[in-house]
Amino acid sequence: MARRLSTIRICAADLEDLHGDDAVKYWRRECRKLADELLALGCSDEEMRAEVMAFQAEVQAELWQRHQSRLSTGAVSQ
């Protein structure tokens, strides 16, 4: 779990700095990497998809939290 939390935070931080095609390519690469790791561990396709979807939701939540934190400190103009 600690590794997953670290990966979530790293992905969110990286995505904050990427835009357009670079962000899409990065995101697809990270999700594909996770999917491949899960399949190699013996997860079924259904389990892998559910885990990747959960990971995507967690990264989105981290991005939202980072944005809200910046808003509350005045680091982002509204």
Side-chain angles (χ1 to χ4, degrees):
M1 185 61 186
R3 180 179 179 268
R4 185 167 178 161
L5 182 56
S6 175
T7 302
I8 290 164
R9 288 181 175 157
I10 290 168
C11 282
D14 289 345
L15 285 168
E16 284 181 316
D17 295 332
L18 296 171
H19 304 284
D21 287 341
D22 290 338
V24 171
K25 288 175 187 176
Y26 173 83
W27 189 232
R28 287 182 180 161
R29 187 174 52 248
E30 289 302 308
C31 290
R32 182 74 257 161
K33 185 168 59 173
L34 175 60
D36 290 344
E37 288 173 7
L38 292 167
L39 291 172
L41 290 171
C43 290
S44 68
D45 283 348
E46 185 177 319
E47 292 170 321
M48 175 271 295
R49 284 188 189 95
E51 287 296 317
V52 170
M53 293 299 289
F55 172 74
Q56 290 174 342
E58 291 165 355
V59 172
Q60 289 298 321
E62 178 70 18
L63 284 165
W64 177 252
Q65 182 179 12
R66 287 167 173 261
H67 178 73
Q68 291 301 310
S69 178
R70 285 193 311 277
L71 283 177
S72 69
T73 62
V76 175
S77 60
Q78 297 181 9

